[in-house]
Amino acid sequence: MLKIDHVSKVYRVGNQDFTALHDVNLEVPAGAFMSFVGPSGSGKTTLLNLLGGLDKPTEGHVFFRDYCLDDLSREKLAEIRRQHIGFIFQSYNLLPVYSVYENILFPLLLNNEKESAVRDRVKEIIAQVGLEPETHKKPSELSGGQCQRVAIARALVKKPDLVLADEPTANLDKENSLMILDLMQELNREYKAAFIFSTHDEKVNRFVNREVRLEDGYVISDQAVESAPA
Amino acid sequence: MILKVALRNFAGQGMRAFLNVSVTALIIIATIFSLSLLNGFQAQALKNLSTTDVGGGHYRVPGFDIMSPTDWEDLTQEVPRQLSQFKHNEKAEVLVQQGQLFINNRMFPVQLRGVEMGQQLLDLPMDHLLRRQQPVADSVPIIIGTQMSRKSKLKVGDQVVMKWRDKHGAVDALDAEVVDVVPLVNPRVDEGVAWLRLDHLRQITLRSKEITWVVVEGNRGKVEGLEFIDTDYLMRDLLALLANDRRNTRLIIGILLMLAAISVFNTQYLNIFKRQKEIGTLMAMGMTPNQIIRLFTVEGGLAAVGAVLMAVVLGIPFFAWFQISGFDVSHLSGTGIPVRENIFLEFNVREIATAVSIIVGLMILVAWWPVRRISNLEPTQALRGRGIT
């Protein structure tokens, strides 16, 4: 489903070039539940951005489904993100003026779905993430854990092939982190979407079935994790 | 979809949106008010000028100039047959001559203006002269306007010596009796003017059947010995004054509009600066830069739409109240402007539609201008909040 072929990414910082990724090669099958692990500055977020078509590689190619993302226009990339990719951010990035229901509905409206046709689907996923009582609340009225559950529901409601989560537990306490990871694992099984996390939280690694370790822009290990709980 | 989202975002801006809407609404109301007041003023002034002096134009003796009184006695002639046949509601014969009133032994130069009695074209309160049908004997009945009365200290019943020159150049004098002081809304026919019956003025100046001009409803074609002077020429000083007022009004409206535009521009600029992460999130969710530009432009443009709605809600009661009370312009009584009474708004739908369209268009333009920068914004930079600095 996803292939990264000899990808390097160089940023210009002031007068100097900074190489964020060095010749990365990866393949991600459909339905994967995996993590990019590494310290700050190791290239995790850069890699996620390239996979999500938010950025383009300096060298190499990123293939998603039948597309080579680095050849596509901004409009086509936006269309692919709209239809096939969900994002979860560390600071949730919910739209502040919308309720829980509206935040989750929003990606469907972007795909030109009629609200009347998808209302039940939105309500169903709100129930799945356990936020029924909060349906009409605004993000400012929710806890961090609840906000992240809204973000997960928002990413999954359009039934994407790929969900990219950038440090999804970084702003949460241990209890909420575990709850969120549990929820994502459950939804991964149900929706068959591939989940890729960037994280430096070791707790996350207990849940994933594959772990890619990055350091200074290099992939230093890529291995299956046996101990993923059922 | 974009409209729905923009509406929610716009409502979410709270006080900032309300202030933008309020300022723009007040500017719309001020614009309509000032344009309509000027229209009302213009309509009233032109009507007053038309009904008291200009009519639909003058047939004048060629070369006559109201500003050259020394020539007046040389520029008269008998009424051409073509005009004398007109009915009372189609023409008013006027004879103008120089004269002097001697008030408290001081000479007061006046324009002796004889107007045909029974004419119905001009709206002049000459009832007291109408009754004085007998030829002039011991005294000449005259009517003056309130401004003339105030300046000359003459009042009803006063008799003063009046002097003039007849057709042959002989100076003559008689007592003039002020038979009425009337409110004349047009200073041109008030200050320095003594009104006489036309037959009386003809009698005392020995100018039987002569006129200086004939006021008519409109151009009736060529008339032998006279030239037609149209209303634009006769009202040119007032029209020039009003055109100047209109320019000044537009300048003030333009300044107000600039202030509102700066306010909306500032809000939009702050919006895209503060909401970069939101923009990045929208991009990540699959909105194209153009869609986001449209969204923010619609959001900003809603200030203009809201302003139009608020202007309707606040403006209609205000204008309704104003049309009852009017605008007191009695302070203009000392000026040469032919308006004395309260003036009212005169709405010109086309003018209002144009003004409102310009305001709404400008607001949308300034809502769009700062958000154009989004088109070059990288989603990753926006998500970090570093795309626009």
Side-chain angles (χ1 to χ4, degrees):
Chain A
M1 182 194 65
L2 193 59
K3 185 180 172 190
I4 299 170
D5 184 25
H6 295 287
V7 162
S8 295
K9 179 68 187 176
V10 180
Y11 290 112
R12 188 98 184 142
V13 182
N15 291 327
Q16 288 194 318
D17 287 341
F18 168 73
T19 306
L21 289 173
H22 296 268
D23 194 29
V24 174
N25 293 286
L26 275 177
E27 281 196 45
V28 179
F33 198 70
M34 61 185 286
S35 64
F36 295 154
V37 183
S40 291
S42 59
K44 306 184 296 290
T45 302
T46 303
L47 195 49
L48 279 188
N49 288 339
L50 292 173
L51 296 179
L54 293 174
D55 209 350
K56 290 190 174 182
T58 312
E59 283 177 33
H61 302 285
V62 179
F63 298 95
F64 174 67
R65 291 164 58 105
D66 298 327
Y67 305 105
C68 177
L69 296 187
D70 37 297
D71 286 345
L72 301 178
S73 66
R74 297 180 90 182
E75 283 70 26
K76 186 66 189 170
L77 284 171
E79 185 190 319
I80 290 171
R81 287 196 297 270
R82 195 159 60 234
Q83 292 175 351
H84 303 292
I85 304 174
F87 287 88
I88 298 168
F89 300 98
Q90 178 181 340
S91 47
Y92 329 124
N93 290 26
L94 301 179
L95 301 174
V97 295
Y98 294 159
S99 66
V100 167
Y101 173 84
E102 289 164 332
N103 262 288
I104 298 168
L105 174 69
F106 191 77
L108 299 173
L109 297 182
L110 281 181
N111 275 327
N112 293 321
E113 306 246 28
K114 291 249 180 267
E115 186 185 346
S116 55
V118 295
R119 192 174 290 131
D120 289 343
R121 200 202 306 181
V122 175
K123 286 182 178 169
E124 188 186 329
I125 202 162
I126 289 174
Q128 275 183 301
V129 297
L131 287 175
E132 268 178 313
E134 278 72 39
T135 301
H136 300 294
K137 286 185 179 170
K138 296 272 171 67
S140 57
E141 299 170 272
L142 304 177
S143 69
Q146 287 173 323
C147 282
Q148 201 57 297
R149 278 190 271 164
V150 177
I152 292 167
R154 182 178 68 178
L156 279 166
V157 72
K158 60 188 174 189
K159 299 186 174 163
D161 300 311
L162 174 65
V163 175
L164 300 170
D166 190 11
E167 305 272 10
T169 56
N171 283 356
L172 304 177
D173 57 28
K174 187 179 173 186
E175 188 185 348
N176 270 310
S177 296
L178 294 175
M179 199 185 296
I180 289 294
L181 289 164
D182 224 15
L183 177 66
M184 287 200 282
Q185 198 176 45
E186 186 187 318
L187 295 171
N188 165 251
R189 285 197 203 102
E190 185 178 335
Y191 285 86
K192 310 289 184 212
F195 272 70
I196 304 177
F197 309 95
S198 74
T199 185
H200 53 257
D201 183 352
E202 292 299 327
K203 294 190 292 291
V204 174
N205 301 330
R206 290 172 20 217
F207 288 80
V208 297
N209 43 37
R210 181 177 166 194
E211 180 189 282
V212 176
R213 284 200 172 266
L214 290 146
E215 206 169 290
D216 295 334
Y218 292 95
V219 174
I220 55 166
S221 73
D222 181 355
Q223 57 191 19
V225 178
E226 298 294 329
S227 57
Chain B
M1 197 275 291
I2 282 182
L3 180 63
K4 199 174 167 187
V5 175
L7 265 170
R8 291 303 303 270
N9 289 346
F10 179 69
Q13 286 176 22
M15 187 53 83
R16 261 183 305 143
F18 178 74
L19 287 175
N20 278 341
V21 167
S22 304
V23 168
T24 314
L26 289 177
I27 285 168
I28 290 174
I29 292 171
T31 302
I32 295 172
F33 178 76
S34 50
L35 290 174
S36 303
L37 189 66
L38 205 56
N39 288 341
F41 184 83
Q42 178 167 327
Q44 212 131 332
L46 293 179
K47 177 176 157 276
N48 289 346
L49 208 54
S50 175
T51 56
T52 56
D53 187 20
V54 170
H58 289 179
Y59 276 101
R60 283 185 173 179
V61 176
F64 178 84
D65 181 0
I66 196 78
M67 305 305 285
S68 304
T70 51
D71 295 338
W72 294 351
E73 59 190 4
D74 301 327
L75 295 166
T76 62
Q77 72 162 62
E78 285 196 10
V79 191
R81 223 177 114 71
Q82 195 182 335
L83 294 181
S84 64
Q85 290 173 335
F86 287 176
K87 294 175 190 161
H88 282 315
N89 59 355
E90 293 174 337
K91 55 116 184 168
E93 295 174 14
V94 176
L95 177 63
V96 173
Q97 291 292 290
Q98 269 198 93
Q100 294 95 38
L101 297 177
F102 289 84
I103 306 162
N104 296 326
N105 297 322
R106 285 174 184 271
M107 191 182 76
F108 201 97
V110 289
Q111 177 194 124
L112 304 176
R113 188 180 284 212
V115 63
E116 182 185 354
M117 291 294 104
Q119 64 78 26
Q120 291 156 11
L121 187 58
L122 300 179
D123 184 17
L124 296 166
M126 298 289 145
D127 295 352
H128 282 80
L129 286 182
L130 196 60
R131 289 182 218 129
R132 304 289 185 111
Q133 291 169 359
Q134 303 85 354
V136 174
D138 299 335
S139 67
V140 184
I142 61 169
I143 283 178
I144 57 172
T146 45
Q147 293 302 313
M148 172 71 173
S149 167
R150 189 174 56 79
K151 284 193 176 167
S152 64
K153 308 275 191 291
L154 286 174
K155 53 188 187 302
V156 176
D158 284 354
Q159 289 213 345
V160 289
V161 172
M162 186 172 84
K163 202 173 94 177
W164 66 91
R165 272 156 56 115
D166 67 20
K167 187 171 183 174
H168 308 296
V171 175
D172 207 346
L174 261 180
D175 276 350
E177 180 194 353
V178 179
V179 294
D180 201 4
V181 174
V182 295
L184 294 165
V185 289
N186 175 6
R188 274 198 209 174
V189 296
D190 185 336
E191 289 162 24
V193 178
W195 287 89
L196 287 79
R197 287 176 64 100
L198 180 61
D199 53 333
H200 285 175
L201 185 56
R202 281 172 173 167
Q203 181 195 342
I204 63 176
T205 58
L206 309 176
R207 293 175 185 276
S208 173
K209 295 183 182 173
E210 288 190 11
I211 46 96
T212 304
W213 67 67
V214 178
V215 185
V216 286
E217 280 183 310
N219 192 344
R220 295 302 187 96
K222 197 167 166 52
V223 173
E224 199 182 338
L226 298 179
E227 63 179 357
F228 182 74
I229 311 291
D230 65 16
T231 52
D232 282 354
Y233 184 82
L234 293 169
M235 298 184 190
R236 65 192 182 284
D237 48 350
L238 179 65
L239 291 172
L241 179 78
L242 291 168
N244 195 39
D245 275 358
R246 207 164 273 278
R247 270 195 298 276
N248 293 342
T249 303
R250 283 184 185 143
L251 183 69
I252 292 166
I253 290 169
I255 291 168
L256 289 174
L257 202 50
M258 284 302 295
L259 292 174
I262 289 167
S263 169
V264 172
F265 185 91
N266 182 47
T267 303
Q268 282 293 84
Y269 205 88
L270 273 175
N271 257 343
I272 58 163
F273 183 74
K274 284 173 66 179
R275 290 166 62 190
Q276 281 187 77
K277 278 194 176 181
E278 184 183 326
I279 293 168
T281 308
L282 294 173
M283 285 175 162
M285 285 199 289
M287 280 184 89
T288 62
N290 282 339
Q291 281 179 311
I292 298 172
I293 289 171
R294 270 210 301 280
L295 173 68
F296 274 69
T297 306
V298 172
E299 241 181 88
L302 282 172
V305 176
V308 172
L309 294 175
M310 190 187 269
V312 169
V313 170
L314 298 179
I316 287 175
F318 170 69
F319 292 137
W321 166 79
F322 191 89
Q323 291 301 69
I324 294 167
S325 58
F327 185 60
D328 180 12
V329 289
S330 53
H331 61 283
L332 295 177
S333 60
T335 71
I337 297 167
V339 179
R340 295 284 178 272
E341 60 276 76
N342 280 7
I343 57 170
F344 297 91
L345 304 176
E346 190 159 303
F347 299 104
N348 179 328
V349 175
R350 196 170 158 186
E351 190 177 59
I352 291 171
T354 306
V356 172
S357 302
I358 290 172
I359 293 171
V360 170
L362 183 66
M363 291 301 142
I364 291 171
L365 180 72
V366 295
W368 166 78
W369 197 262
V371 302
R372 288 174 310 140
R373 300 180 70 183
I374 292 172
S375 63
N376 298 321
L377 193 61
E378 289 299 328
T380 50
Q381 292 292 311
L383 282 166
R384 286 193 199 119
R386 293 183 198 154
I388 296 167
T389 50

